[in-house]
Amino acid sequence: MLFCFSKLKLFVTKRTILALCFTVLLYFITIDNNFLQRYFGFKKAANTIFKFTPTSDGKAFLTSAIYTNLANCERHQYEIIVNGWENHVKNNHFMCCFRLRNGKPLASMSNQKLSSILAYMPLRRIQYRCPVPVEVNLIEYVSIINDMNTTCHEDISYYVKVILSLYSKDSGIAICSLISYRSQDAAILVEWFEVQRLLGVNKIITYTQELNSDALRVLDYYESIGLAEVIRGFDMPEKGMWLTVDGQTDKYPRKIGDQNKRQWTDKEVVSLDCNARLLGFRYVIICDKDELVVPNISKFGFSLRKSLKVENIGDELGILNNKKIKGYQIREWAK
């Protein structure tokens, strides 16, 4: 009887220890992301910080400068795409100011710019295309001048660093998921990311602003396994307090989540910035975290890529407008 009791005690003890180990492991996985990095080999998140840079002529705020190879397109040249906001200017011509790796300045003229459908807005979204006059690996920074009466400034604080777009070897699928902010539900976020993995999505870019800690840990995890690219700390220019005759007031008051033209313009900036970062992918989808793009499952299973190839959808950002591929919102899943 004593022997049986001892074996029972041993069995219970083992179960208790296993339960404690599982509890501790769960704690580290959900709370301490460093544990994932140390013991499971997950890569540390890149911790990319969003930043907008004012130009020296005061006409624009630049968010990114991304090198792209357009050798197969109509212009047959290499370009650097510069994204941001622009205070409305009348002329289409602008100057691209380069700073080479050896510190020397270089400049070229261009008239290739893409403005918003809300072009009349005082602070509109803009995308400049700068032709590259030298080997791209020689260029480190770029800035923009819209005022043709000024020249390129020497101060590097008016420049943004040139980066490469993300690249996919096998006609990959990427998603621009825009901005995750404030009370974004962490559980819904996990579910959404797992559905995207099931559908065969290769890369997801999202931006954050004042996001809650639980949701941030979810994004950290998916960035650590290579699925997500998280650009933290999104912000907008010219929304601070300005001194007027009537006292202090916001110049362009707005915040993420507002439903107005100023906020829509800010989202357009994010869309262009994100799309430029994903130019190395065959398909780019823009959708929010309560939306899904789903193929015809009876024909293609859960392979979004097979559906895109068969339906011959070749244009970026055209997926959601195609009637052969269904878009859903999460609240519709149970229907």
Side-chain angles (χ1 to χ4, degrees):
M1 186 70 172
L2 181 62
F3 174 76
C4 292
F5 179 73
S6 298
K7 293 196 71 172
L8 179 61
K9 285 177 65 177
L10 180 63
F11 175 79
V12 172
T13 302
K14 285 184 176 179
R15 285 298 178 93
T16 303
I17 292 173
L18 286 173
L20 287 172
C21 289
F22 176 79
T23 302
V24 172
L25 179 63
L26 185 62
Y27 166 82
F28 278 117
I29 289 176
T30 56
I31 304 299
D32 185 2
N33 194 50
N34 291 328
F35 179 82
L36 293 173
Q37 298 162 15
R38 291 196 303 269
Y39 294 97
F40 290 102
F42 291 138
K43 295 182 293 183
K44 188 176 181 180
N47 202 26
T48 304
I49 305 300
F50 183 88
K51 179 183 177 182
F52 58 81
T53 300
T55 56
S56 60
D57 63 357
K59 301 295 185 182
F61 298 88
L62 311 179
T63 63
S64 61
I66 298 164
Y67 166 72
T68 176
N69 177 359
L70 294 180
N72 294 325
C73 295
E74 292 180 359
R75 289 185 291 276
H76 299 286
Q77 64 186 29
Y78 299 99
E79 292 183 331
I80 293 175
I81 295 177
V82 184
N83 302 292
W85 290 266
E86 181 186 81
N87 284 308
H88 186 68
V89 293
K90 295 181 179 180
N91 59 299
N92 287 324
H93 289 81
F94 57 93
M95 184 181 300
C96 301
C97 304
F98 302 105
R99 185 64 58 87
L100 304 185
R101 293 189 180 277
N102 61 10
K104 293 183 178 180
L106 187 67
S108 66
M109 296 294 297
S110 178
N111 63 355
Q112 299 293 322
K113 67 164 64 174
L114 176 65
S115 63
S116 171
I117 56 172
L118 302 173
Y120 58 87
M121 294 290 289
L123 194 63
R124 62 183 183 179
R125 69 106 160 111
I126 199 73
Q127 185 176 84
Y128 305 99
R129 291 182 176 268
C130 295
V132 177
V134 295
E135 292 184 21
V136 70
N137 61 348
L138 299 177
I139 298 175
E140 188 170 12
Y141 297 95
V142 65
S143 189
I144 300 294
I145 294 292
N146 281 288
D147 186 348
M148 294 295 99
N149 294 320
T150 62
T151 58
C152 297
H153 206 283
E154 294 182 358
D155 190 345
I156 202 66
S157 66
Y158 294 116
Y159 290 69
V160 291
K161 190 175 181 62
V162 178
I163 62 174
L164 297 174
S165 60
L166 298 176
Y167 176 72
S168 172
K169 294 181 180 179
D170 54 352
S171 299
I173 304 171
I175 289 180
C176 287
S177 187
L178 304 185
I179 306 168
S180 304
Y181 61 96
R182 294 196 286 275
S183 61
Q184 171 78 57
D185 189 293
I188 291 292
L189 207 54
V190 171
E191 189 173 356
W192 185 85
F193 269 98
E194 289 303 315
V195 171
Q196 303 302 346
R197 291 176 71 181
L198 178 65
L199 294 173
V201 172
N202 306 106
K203 182 66 70 174
I204 298 169
I205 287 184
T206 188
Y207 301 70
T208 70
Q209 187 188 64
E210 301 174 358
L211 185 61
N212 67 84
S213 58
D214 290 338
L216 270 175
R217 283 196 291 270
V218 172
L219 295 183
D220 285 344
Y221 168 73
Y222 286 105
E223 187 169 35
S224 72
I225 64 172
L227 178 61
E229 174 107 354
V230 183
I231 301 172
R232 294 161 171 79
F234 174 78
D235 203 359
M236 301 88 72
E238 298 195 345
K239 65 179 181 62
M241 303 300 290
W242 291 69
L243 188 62
T244 67
V245 292
D246 300 322
Q248 288 187 333
T249 183
D250 286 335
K251 188 171 184 180
Y252 303 123
R254 64 205 191 275
K255 62 181 181 179
I256 296 298
D258 290 346
Q259 297 298 318
N260 55 53
K261 293 179 180 178
R262 287 197 181 99
Q263 186 57 73
W264 297 336
T265 299
D266 295 330
K267 289 182 178 179
E268 286 183 338
V269 171
V270 173
S271 298
L272 282 183
D273 185 272
C274 181
N275 187 46
R277 293 173 187 267
L278 293 171
L279 283 173
F281 284 78
R282 180 69 178 88
Y283 302 104
V284 177
I285 305 169
I286 293 181
C287 66
D288 217 335
K289 295 176 187 68
D290 62 347
E291 300 168 335
L292 292 170
V293 176
V294 182
N296 185 328
I297 295 176
S298 63
K299 291 176 62 177
F300 306 108
F302 289 103
S303 177
L304 191 56
R305 183 180 304 182
K306 287 181 181 179
S307 179
L308 294 173
K309 287 182 178 179
V310 171
E311 305 296 358
N312 194 29
I313 300 175
D315 58 323
E316 293 172 347
L317 311 183
I319 294 176
L320 288 176
N321 295 324
N322 191 287
K323 295 180 180 179
K324 298 178 182 178
I325 298 180
K326 180 68 174 176
Y328 291 98
Q329 287 195 312
I330 286 180
R331 62 175 176 268
E332 298 175 335
W333 288 5
K335 293 182 180 180

